Amino acid sequence: MVQCEMCGKDVSSPNRVKVEGAELDVCDDCTDFGTEVKTEESSSTSTKYSTSSGSSGSSSSSSSSSSSGGSGRRRDMFDEMDEIAQDYDDRIRQARESKGLSQEDLANQLNEKASLIRKLERGNSLPSDDVREKLERALGIDLSAGGSTDETEWSGGSSSGEYTLGDVVERKD
């Protein structure tokens, strides 16, 4: 049995509908939320996001086909994303000041608004991908978070590698 991709109900023969640009397999009750898509059952071509277990990566998107994965886990868009550093605001401000630029000068150089630079340096806004690339290129900095910083922060714990609340909490008596 297949589950309805909208409500989760078990369905023996789902209907293929298009809801706001996405093609979904849904139950009879959820069919009214979209427009029915005509499917060609005899065609052997797979869609971009095939869920069949028989296709071994041949229908994967171009962004994930460059990476090799033998884990069998489906890849998603978050696997390709870099995490931004928590101190991105300080990094931007320090790099700008070290180059002797004002916020307005940097904004003009990046072809962005000065208010955006102020928001970024205060930590009130996260930079979009293109602004982030411009900042990294113009200031010669890296705004991505190091992947191993989370693991090195922890120093306590038992020899089995598991942590308890007592390993983390600091008592205030």
Side-chain angles (χ1 to χ4, degrees):
M1 296 259 295
V2 178
Q3 283 189 333
C4 172
E5 293 180 343
M6 285 188 70
C7 68
K9 188 187 310 180
D10 288 331
V11 182
S12 60
S13 59
N15 302 318
R16 188 78 156 159
V17 296
K18 192 169 204 170
V19 179
E20 294 189 13
E23 289 187 16
L24 304 172
D25 291 326
V26 298
C27 64
D28 293 332
D29 297 333
C30 295
T31 303
D32 297 334
F33 292 111
T35 56
E36 199 157 348
V37 176
K38 304 292 184 223
T39 59
E40 297 178 24
E41 295 293 327
S42 62
S43 174
S44 66
T45 59
S46 63
T47 61
K48 182 176 179 182
Y49 301 106
S50 176
T51 57
S52 64
S53 60
S55 66
S56 61
S58 62
S59 63
S60 64
S61 65
S62 61
S63 64
S64 64
S65 63
S66 62
S67 61
S68 62
S71 64
R73 186 178 70 86
R74 278 188 59 178
R75 299 188 56 79
D76 59 17
M77 63 183 268
F78 298 110
D79 291 337
E80 302 296 325
M81 292 176 60
D82 285 336
E83 215 174 294
I84 193 159
Q86 288 185 350
D87 63 338
Y88 72 93
D89 50 347
D90 293 329
R91 291 184 189 187
I92 294 170
R93 183 172 35 314
Q94 289 172 357
R96 177 185 57 80
E97 290 173 349
S98 70
K99 292 203 178 258
L101 297 172
S102 68
Q103 290 177 337
E104 289 76 18
D105 293 338
L106 179 60
N108 289 335
Q109 186 178 347
L110 300 177
N111 199 20
E112 297 290 339
K113 292 184 178 181
S115 61
L116 174 66
I117 303 301
R118 280 192 290 277
K119 287 179 182 179
L120 291 172
E121 288 187 1
R122 282 193 306 242
N124 293 346
S125 178
L126 287 172
S128 63
D129 289 339
D130 58 330
V131 171
R132 178 179 168 182
E133 289 175 15
K134 287 180 188 180
L135 284 166
E136 289 177 337
R137 208 173 319 116
L139 298 174
I141 58 174
D142 183 25
L143 295 176
S144 63
S148 63
T149 57
D150 292 338
E151 288 79 27
T152 58
E153 282 181 22
W154 296 95
S155 59
S158 63
S159 61
S160 66
E162 295 180 14
Y163 294 99
T164 65
L165 187 57
D167 294 326
V168 182
V169 171
E170 293 180 23
R171 291 184 57 179
K172 295 183 180 180
D173 289 334

